[in-house]
Amino acid sequence: MPTKRPVLPYLALFMGSICLSFSAMFGKWANAPGPVIGFYRIGLATIILFPVFLYRKYKYGVKFPLGILLFPLLGGIFTALDHGTWNSSLRFTSAANAA
């Protein structure tokens, strides 16, 4: 008897792939400085995911010491810098070459 697979993870994967495919074109068309585009991309993701983080933190009663959160925070900072420089490169070249 085959097992029933949940559809939501596959739908999220598909939508994420579509969004990533169009992100370079939207960044090119925005006519905004690269760090501004990067700020909004990271900022919107943070606003969307932060309530989920808080819900799970309080639901399971997990306490995060600063030492555990240090590396994800550093990863977020470096990702934001990467997005800023990548979005800035869109002004000087095509979306295909900026990757």
Side-chain angles (χ1 to χ4, degrees):
M1 183 169 157
T3 60
K4 184 178 178 184
R5 293 188 178 185
V7 177
L8 191 59
Y10 292 106
L11 182 63
L13 181 65
F14 177 74
M15 287 303 298
S17 298
I18 295 297
C19 291
L20 281 174
S21 298
F22 286 103
S23 68
M25 290 187 302
F26 291 147
K28 182 83 171 167
W29 294 338
N31 277 338
V36 172
I37 298 170
F39 172 78
Y40 280 107
R41 288 179 70 185
I42 299 294
L44 287 176
T46 302
I47 289 170
I48 292 169
L49 292 175
F50 192 65
V52 176
F53 170 75
L54 289 179
Y55 171 75
R56 289 188 176 203
K57 180 180 184 294
Y58 291 120
K59 179 181 178 183
Y60 299 114
V62 178
K63 295 182 180 177
F64 295 106
L66 185 60
I68 290 177
L69 291 178
L70 180 65
F71 286 113
L73 287 173
L74 285 173
I77 290 169
F78 286 119
T79 301
L81 291 172
D82 176 59
H83 276 274
T85 56
W86 181 77
N87 289 323
S88 296
S89 71
L90 287 174
R91 290 176 142 308
F92 303 110
T93 187
S94 68
N97 288 335

